[in-house]
Amino acid sequence: MSKLFTVLTFVIGFNCIVFEFLKFPEVASSFRALLFTAFFLMYFLSKGSIHKFFTSFLLFFALAELMYFAISLDANLYYYGSIILYIMAYASLLLYIVSKFELKKVLDSYSIHLFVLLTLNVLLVYKLDTFLINDMEDELPLIIRLVELLYNLLLAMIAGAAFIRFLYFKSKQAIFLFLISVLIVFSEFIQIVFYSDTNAVLSIICTLLLLFGFYFIYEYYTLSDFDDKKIEKL
């Protein structure tokens, strides 16, 4: 069954890219929603619930993608439903990344790294928030600004936390997790900055980054020694 879902996922992903290239964004978005649903089912059928936070990340992400089918019913339902689910997905991924940290050791060993990453994250989120406000013709409601701020903050924290995890464990798993985080975060930031741009090339780049990120997720959870309680040192 898992092999069937692997083939199905590849076919759906290919169609997603093709329709992005042919400039049929609605069809491409539909395939994208189905793609990540199939990916979650493939993961769950092959491995089950390896870790509650990691499983929650994939589940909430798939549900957020499926919210695309609600856009024709209610645009507000689509926006608030999807972004809340994305926030839950990225919060779950962040919790998974830091779940193995021993706080005292991290603070003692990487205090300078943490300070630099925190500073960069604050600057990045501030710039994104400023860019979003300047790019909007009308003033955004406070609730939307807060939600977008939380969303951007989570993305920035994920990349930083994954980097610290790599330094902390120096394992194959940590390398994959870092690659996963960077690809997903870059995909999201490109969409945030160019969200009003209808350039098909940008859409394809975002989709490819996301697909490569989920490919590394596949590689990550199919490691023969993948075990949340076991970290293999390089």
Side-chain angles (χ1 to χ4, degrees):
M1 183 65 74
S2 62
K3 290 182 179 179
L4 174 62
F5 273 105
T6 303
V7 174
L8 180 62
T9 301
F10 175 81
V11 172
I12 296 173
F14 178 77
N15 280 297
C16 183
I17 296 296
V18 168
F19 282 106
E20 287 280 13
F21 180 77
L22 295 175
K23 297 184 179 181
F24 290 101
E26 294 83 5
V27 180
S29 296
S30 299
F31 272 110
R32 172 174 157 151
L34 296 174
L35 170 66
F36 293 109
T37 304
F39 188 91
F40 171 74
L41 293 173
M42 180 180 69
Y43 156 81
F44 195 79
L45 289 173
S46 61
K47 287 289 183 178
S49 182
I50 294 174
H51 190 287
K52 59 182 179 181
F53 292 136
F54 193 74
T55 305
S56 296
F57 158 63
L58 295 177
L59 174 61
F60 287 134
F61 195 95
L63 291 174
E65 291 291 328
L66 285 172
M67 285 299 298
Y68 175 75
F69 295 112
I71 194 170
S72 59
L73 301 176
D74 189 324
N76 287 327
L77 173 63
Y78 164 69
Y79 172 79
Y80 287 108
S82 61
I83 199 166
I84 288 171
L85 287 166
Y86 279 127
I87 286 172
M88 293 171 70
Y90 291 136
S92 298
L93 179 58
L94 180 62
L95 288 171
Y96 175 73
I97 291 171
V98 303
S99 62
K100 282 289 184 178
F101 285 172
E102 293 181 45
L103 185 59
K104 188 176 184 305
K105 287 185 179 180
V106 170
L107 292 175
D108 289 343
S109 303
Y110 306 108
S111 55
I112 296 176
H113 301 75
L114 288 169
F115 175 76
V116 172
L117 286 171
L118 180 61
T119 303
L120 290 174
N121 284 349
V122 170
L123 289 173
L124 178 60
V125 171
Y126 172 75
K127 286 294 183 182
L128 285 172
D129 185 60
T130 305
F131 175 84
L132 185 63
I133 293 171
N134 293 338
D135 203 48
M136 288 288 186
E137 296 180 0
D138 302 319
E139 186 177 350
L140 288 173
L142 178 60
I143 183 65
I144 293 181
R145 285 196 61 187
L146 290 174
V147 169
E148 294 283 353
L149 186 65
L150 175 60
Y151 184 77
N152 296 338
L153 183 61
L154 275 172
L155 288 171
M157 290 174 66
I158 284 170
F163 177 66
I164 294 296
R165 183 181 175 116
F166 167 66
L167 296 177
Y168 185 75
F169 290 118
K170 294 185 175 65
S171 65
K172 291 179 181 179
Q173 292 91 334
I175 292 174
F176 277 119
L177 201 55
F178 177 64
L179 290 172
I180 290 163
S181 302
V182 168
L183 288 166
I184 291 175
V185 167
F186 265 84
S187 172
E188 291 287 357
F189 280 156
I190 290 173
Q191 290 185 75
I192 291 169
V193 174
F194 298 104
Y195 77 98
S196 60
D197 199 314
T198 56
N199 191 327
V201 175
L202 286 174
S203 297
I204 291 171
I205 290 172
C206 289
T207 302
L208 283 174
L209 286 172
L210 200 57
L211 289 177
F212 276 117
F214 274 75
Y215 166 76
F216 282 116
I217 289 177
Y218 176 80
E219 291 293 326
Y220 178 68
Y221 74 68
T222 52
L223 285 173
S224 60
D225 60 350
F226 181 85
D227 186 344
D228 185 57
K229 296 181 180 179
K230 176 183 177 182
I231 300 295
E232 177 195 343
K233 298 290 182 181
L234 287 176

